[in-house]
Amino acid sequence: MTYRISVDTGGTFTDVVVNDGNGNFSIGKSLTTPDRIFEGMRNAMVNVAQDMSTSLEDLLENTSLLIYGTTRATNAIVTKTVAKTALLTTQGFPDVLVLKEGGKFNPHDFSQDYPHPYLPRRHTFEIEERVGSEGQIIIPLNIEEAGRTIGRLGEQNFEAIAVCLLWSIADPSHELQLGALIEEMLPGVPYTLSHQLISVVREYRRASATAIDASLKPLMQAHLRDLEGDLRLAGYQGEVLVSTAAGGCSSIDALIEKPIYTVGSGPAMAPIAARTYSAMEGMGEDVIVCDTGGTTFDVGVVRDGRLTFSRDTWLGPRYTGDLLGISAVDMRSIGAGGGSIAWIDDGGLMRVGPMSAGSVPGPACYGRGGTKPTVSDAAVVLGYFDPDYFLGGRMKLDVEAARHAVHGVALQIGLTIEETAFRILGLASDLMVRAIGDVTINEGVNPRESTIVAGGGAAGVNIMLIARELGCGKVILPGSASALSAAGMQFANIVAEEAQSLVTLSNRFDAVRVNEVFDELENKLDAFRRKLPGRGDAYAIERIGEARYLGQIWELDTPLPMDRFFGDDDLAAYVGAFHDVHERVFAVRDPNSPIETVSWKARLKVALSEPPVPAPSVEFSEVKPGAATRPCFFGGKTPLEVPIYKPGDLAPGSRIQGPAIIEETTTTLVVYPDMAVSISGNGNYLLEIA
């Protein structure tokens, strides 16, 4: 039997999903080990191997593909532990990272200091050169001065170099010359050229992406190579792929060249899983994905069966943080996970997050020294978790420690411990509802007409409360919910994307040049595909224009209905597609306005497996409660005696009326009073919201 393993290392837990080749998933979890990622990964694989009645050695020996997702790059950026990086930029433009995009989310709030640039201003070095917007050489590159500057970088022990020159997207020759100088004078020092990474017009976005990518190269090169080495020492000899922010997987070699695509790569897999599960259950192509982890709550949208992408992924607050700049799966994160800490602000109001207990020390209930109350502690106090069956009994929870932590907040607001715990859960749910509103209502998506797919180890605690608040009647909690991102890797394709700027208007459309751009992009993708070992035959290329109405600021991704532009009918079809996209997002179409396309993208998808086949429909019947019960609080002053179900008590077709608790090995589903849940033929939980 040939297995396929996917691994997602989160801030609190490391998730492992094993596909047995027949579409059956086994899930393992372990606490993440930040100092050495492979230890937590190995522990999770040992757990899942035990559940499969095999050994780790046999599991690895019989695995042909391992897909790895990591938060290492994101954590390095957040903790400022990236490489010492220099930015080389055109003379006269040294403040591109300092000025950012010149805005802030609250324009009248002067309580915050001006944000720091991603790279310190003193690490920016001006290069004498200038290329015009049409690609003409205005000032030739001063090779001698550039050589002296690069020599100083070596003397000052810079570990990486970002090169972003003005209008290098029109003529990259100066950037290429600087790259050759770096290789000659500082061999082994990694560098990134902006036109090769992100060929877009906006200068800050290109500079920010280039700086982030270069700063990650030493770290991620070592991390990915070390991980591959650890896997080989453990006995694994199969193929290793890494999940990316582009909504698919890629090779280690490709991501060592562009490590920026590993930032946010774990959450980017959740929409792939959500789209697949909604299709399996026949619940439509408009999906809201909610992934509740230990540290964050991640939310995104699938529209018409397509992932949504954005170049507006900020690391930190919008406008004042640092912009990723690449075209990445649009997933928004807030600090409201199972480990999010409840606290009282100076005005006496209770807050939840964004601070998290993480995995070290973790929530108080973990018994590892944590003392601050978290959402997980609140769930323990409310009786939702069995302290002897957490992670299938592999981890014991400390109920008294959880109660003591929540008691500290209860004293400050004058409520009982149980009432306080329910308020903590309710406040976390409100934050999650608000985050969902940002990516749905604010983007023209009606939650009432969409399907929610919930995942993450803490998803089952409050997803019913969230769905009720949103008025969403279609909710799926997959059987692999506790490892939704890792499950998404099982359904992912190998993905590579190339982009190039070319501004053209629909009323003065340069079809010849646009077709030439797509020829260039597809040649690059073909070269990437040919490097894939034993793969690349089953592939597709998607062509996209980043377009807007003339005079607008931001672009919308518009899929091309054809491969190339050969006549007026092709252009009309593309313009019509843009009108449809704009109307869906903004509820407005302006057929008399010219369409301005700023850049063009080609996205390669190489299939890794066949799509899952939906299971036959089943008839649902009520399941009578068993003997196991537990007192649980649902907002009242006294608990309710609630029936407890284990996976062995249930089968496809089972229906459970709330209140009830369903205890999976790696997650817990709370069925609130007046609500119900049914198990589909696929083994997923279909939630019925009152």
Side-chain angles (χ1 to χ4, degrees), residues 207-248:
S208 179
T210 305
I212 290 170
D213 184 75
S215 72
L216 291 172
K217 279 186 171 175
L219 170 78
M220 294 309 296
Q221 286 174 355
H223 174 67
L224 293 175
R225 291 302 186 202
D226 288 349
L227 176 74
E228 186 177 29
D230 287 339
L231 284 168
R232 301 307 183 202
L233 287 174
Y236 178 66
Q237 298 300 320
E239 184 180 6
V240 179
L241 296 176
V242 182
S243 65
T244 78

Side-chain angles (χ1 to χ4, degrees), residues 2-3 59-67 228 231-232 235-241 252 533 535:
T2 300
Y3 299 114
L59 176 64
L60 292 176
E61 183 180 346
N62 291 288
T63 297
S64 59
L65 174 63
L66 186 144
I67 304 173
E228 186 177 29
L231 284 168
R232 301 307 183 202
Y236 178 66
Q237 298 300 320
E239 184 180 6
V240 179
L241 296 176
I252 287 179
R535 300 190 186 277

Side-chain angles (χ1 to χ4, degrees), residues 43-98:
N43 293 339
M45 289 193 291
V46 167
N47 290 341
V48 74
Q50 290 174 348
D51 291 342
M52 297 170 63
S53 300
T54 187
S55 66
L56 175 63
E57 293 73 20
D58 287 342
L59 176 64
L60 292 176
E61 183 180 346
N62 291 288
T63 297
S64 59
L65 174 63
L66 186 144
I67 304 173
Y68 172 63
T70 176
T71 57
R72 175 56 66 91
T74 307
N75 293 341
I77 294 170
V78 171
T79 59
K80 307 296 184 184
T81 55
V82 294
K84 181 181 179 182
T85 305
L87 172 65
L88 304 185
T89 189
T90 301
Q91 189 174 67
F93 296 87
D95 294 316
V96 61
L97 292 182
V98 175

